[in-house]
Amino acid sequence: MPTRKKFEVSAEDLHIILAKLEQLHHVRDLNTLLDALLTESRHMAHADAGSIFLAEGEFLKFSYVQNDTLFRNDFLSNKYIYSNQTVSIDLTSLAGYVAKTGESLLIDDAYAIDSQKPYTFNATFDDISQYRTTSMLIVPLTTSKNERLGVLELINRINDQGEAIPFSEYEKNLVALFAFYASVAIERALLLRNVVHKMLKMTQIRDPEETQPHVERVGAYAVEIYQRWAERHKVPHDEIVTFRDVLSTAAMLHDIGKVGIADRILQKNGPLSEEEYEQMKWHVIYGAEFFRNPHSEWDSLAYEITLNHHEKWDGTGYPGIGRNDPLTIDNRAGKKGNSIPLSARIVALADVYDALISKRPYKDPWEEDRVLHHIRGQAGKHFDPEIVEIFFEIYDIIRAIRSKWEK
Ligand code: C2E
Ligand code: SIN
Ligand code: SIN
Ligand code: SIN
Ligand code: FE
Ligand code: FE
């Protein structure tokens, strides 16, 4: 008698899985990785939609969603990623059941689940979005030590006629096997995120306003602005994925150089004197010092951003030097226009938006209208006009990010 179900997967599919995993293992940023994992799993199982929940304590946090019917052309960028929905890890919900028991579930019709089952389908998302969930395939994501990471949920297996039909047992095995191996990459992405959070803690201990929510927001705004910029400029898909991957983390570290600034300046409750402001400007140099000898694309981008995020489009920013110059401040020679790296042009806007809309020790939050008016007025002066245009195009996403990390 068989005691344990074996995964029966064809040699051909196994080959495909190995090739996909090889790609996944180059990705370090968590969101990029979740996006790739979901794309590949949906493809294998012909699913119209899917989402990923990550475990945090006794809850599952809705972390990623894709849906070809609802947002067909919206690769990665959508405001649903930034929703704060959570699900308890218990037997009453589908995702909770899978996380709790470690079993995969195949549901043929979400609206006709046997009432004897401990779980029920939560139709909230369908109700909000006017989407109709029918078939579902839900698999656990666990670490190699069998600790729970989260849940991968695929929705509506689509046939050649475009109808939603049940997922097969075979597709369940295929996706479960893929998810099992992909978990290693997720674990590693979580580890890198943890290291970056620890680096950021160094500044946060000294500068209480440089909070985790602030850096999360700046990282997320930057990635979404880049996404739209890259689509406009017809950047190849793979390149977009790679750049997003490094940009999100590097943008979060833009002010890491504030660790080098004296407390009396960093924590000052009012306006800086001219001399103090000159001292403060050195945070871009101290930040760049961290990443001066690049070991990876990630270091190079962090260097660009830390050094150049206070440059201005019209050339009136600081520090006005390049990689081959001695690292110092040249108040006469700000970089100008496109000679400021794209990454820094994006982070400049993301950072100022967040500084203005938030409270700082030295200023109250501005009204949203005032902030937007200011940003519009600085197109072509402080900011790259195209980046300003994109910012307004995606402003609903910017808002969704702000409300996710409100504080
Ligand atoms: P931060 O607080 O992250 O601010 C980032 C940028 O947002 C600033 O860069 C500036 O371009 C913009 N910004 C912030 N507040 C205002 C404002 O009230 N009005 C306008 N028009 N723009 C604003 P900047 O000026 O290069 O400053 C860099 C950093 O220096 C700031 O980072 C902050 O840590 C510090 N800082 C700047 N001004 C003051 C100040 O008056 N008092 C104190 N204590 N710190 C300041
Ligand atoms: C397909 O969409 O792959 C064909 C339809 C089916 O297998 O049910
Ligand atoms: C990474 O690339 O994994 C981040 C650490 C680094 O190389 O600086
Ligand atoms: C402000 O309202 O003080 C600034 C508006 C702007 O700079 O355009
Ligand atoms: Fe800064
Ligand atoms: Fe900042």
Side-chain angles (χ1 to χ4, degrees), residues 46 157-161 165-166 171:
H46 309 268
R157 201 276 188 223
I158 300 297
N159 68 10
D160 287 342
Q161 285 71 48
I165 58 167
E171 285 159 347

Side-chain angles (χ1 to χ4, degrees), residues 68-136:
D68 279 349
T69 300
L70 290 181
F71 11 95
R72 188 170 287 278
N73 298 317
D74 232 4
F75 156 66
L76 286 170
S77 294
N78 68 75
K79 48 189 180 234
Y80 298 100
I81 322 174
Y82 299 108
S83 91
N84 263 330
Q85 196 187 326
T86 57
V87 175
S88 298
I89 299 181
D90 60 33
L91 303 181
T92 65
S93 69
L94 294 165
Y97 181 92
V98 169
K100 184 96 184 165
T101 62
E103 280 172 41
S104 300
L105 280 180
L106 270 182
I107 305 289
D108 291 349
D109 183 351
Y111 289 86
I113 293 174
D114 181 350
S115 60
Q116 302 299 310
K117 299 289 187 195
Y119 44 77
T120 55
F121 172 65
N122 176 350
T124 312
F125 189 79
D126 273 12
D127 293 343
I128 298 171
S129 62
Q130 311 284 315
Y131 187 76
R132 177 64 157 84
T133 300
T134 306
S135 57
M136 301 177 82

Side-chain angles (χ1 to χ4, degrees), residues 301-320:
L301 202 66
Y303 179 90
E304 263 178 30
I305 292 172
T306 48
L307 186 63
N308 296 303
H309 72 277
H310 289 296
E311 293 290 4
K312 297 185 180 180
W313 183 256
D314 65 7
T316 60
Y318 61 91

Side-chain angles (χ1 to χ4, degrees), residues 372-405:
L372 298 184
H373 180 257
H374 175 78
I375 287 174
R376 213 173 254 122
Q378 290 295 320
K381 296 177 187 161
H382 191 156
F383 307 120
D384 175 349
E386 186 182 10
I387 301 293
V388 172
E389 204 178 301
I390 290 170
F391 175 83
F392 283 104
E393 261 175 42
I394 64 161
Y395 196 64
D396 59 337
I397 298 175
I398 300 288
R399 264 217 183 103
I401 293 169
R402 182 148 61 88
S403 58
K404 171 153 182 172
W405 286 287

